Structure formats: structure tokens, C-alpha cells
Amino acid sequence: MIDFYLRRKPDTSDRKRLALSRVATVGWGVVLFVLALLSRYGGSVLEKGLSLASLAYGGLLGVFLLGLITKRAKQTGAIIGMLCGLALNIYIWGWTHIAWTWYVTFGSITTFVVGYLASLLETDTDANRAQTSA
């Protein structure tokens, strides 16, 4: 409610906030119930959960390392790198037989390398133009 809905409509009454919170709770409950039913056909729930989480963790670690290790990392480069790392992990998850334990490694390396290269290609003029147009 606070992160998504109230940013757009901060003057919403308490009664409506409560009603929307209840609807969201029931909605997420239904989603999780359906996922639980579907997980009966795919092996360990823990393994499925960790494999799904690993899809995003690779990009997250790659962006963290990009900002920690390099001084040339820029926001646009980091975003491009993270999108590429996520896309690679989704491809590996859906269309290869690589174990889920490698997703973080491949995603973080891809995010770091692509993000660094994209940051090198981005000139200061591009960054200034993006800031002034925003």
C-alpha cells in the first residue's frame, strides 16, 4: 500500500486503505496457493524457490560488485548490465539444463562485464543530457 498505491493517491481514506489491503492480502494468498498446487508437480519446493530467487540475485550481486569495485560505473550501465544478466538467467533457467546453483555466478559475471562496458561507452555528455531532460 505505502510503496505503490499511496505514492499516487496519498489522500486515500483509512477505510479505503484497509479495504485495499485486504483485497491485496487475499489476492497474494490466492497466488501463493496456486503456486503451492503447481509445485506438487515439479520436485522440491525449496529447490524451486531457490532457483527462482537465484534468477534475480545474480544481477543484484553484479550491480553491487560493479559499484564496489569500479569507479567508472554509471547508473545507465548498471541498469543495462542487470537487464542482460537477468535475461541470461531466464534463458538458462528456461532453455538449458544448467543447475540453478550456477545462476548467481552467470548472472553476476554478465551484469558486471556488460555494466562496466556500457559504463565505459557512456560519455559524460550522455549522462548530463539525461539529467537535464529529467
Side-chain angles (χ1 to χ4, degrees):
M1 284 296 297
I2 293 171
D3 291 337
F4 299 109
Y5 187 79
L6 292 180
R7 285 183 187 250
R8 293 184 178 200
K9 297 188 178 188
D11 57 338
T12 304
S13 69
D14 287 340
R15 185 176 184 91
K16 187 167 183 176
R17 287 182 191 189
L18 181 62
L20 289 172
S21 294
R22 288 179 176 167
V23 168
T25 301
V26 170
W28 278 112
V30 169
V31 168
L32 292 174
F33 180 72
V34 169
L35 287 174
L37 289 176
L38 291 175
S39 70
R40 293 177 23 194
Y41 304 107
S44 168
V45 174
L46 179 63
E47 186 175 316
K48 293 295 180 191
L50 289 174
S51 69
L52 286 174
S54 296
L55 291 175
Y57 289 164
L60 189 64
L61 178 61
V63 167
F64 173 75
L65 293 174
L66 187 63
L68 185 69
I69 295 173
T70 69
K71 294 188 186 283
R72 303 212 38 164
K74 296 186 172 123
Q75 179 180 353
T76 305
I79 291 170
I80 291 169
M82 191 169 195
L83 290 173
C84 289
L86 180 63
L88 176 70
N89 276 349
I90 290 172
Y91 171 77
I92 291 171
W93 175 61
W95 291 279
T96 69
H97 296 289
I98 297 173
W100 64 268
T101 53
W102 287 98
Y103 296 173
V104 173
T105 303
F106 291 139
S108 59
I109 290 171
T110 302
T111 299
F112 185 86
V113 170
V114 172
Y116 186 73
L117 292 174
S119 293
L120 288 178
L121 293 174
E122 182 182 347
T123 63
D124 289 333
T125 310
D126 293 339
N128 290 338
R129 192 176 324 131
Q131 288 178 352
T132 57
S133 67

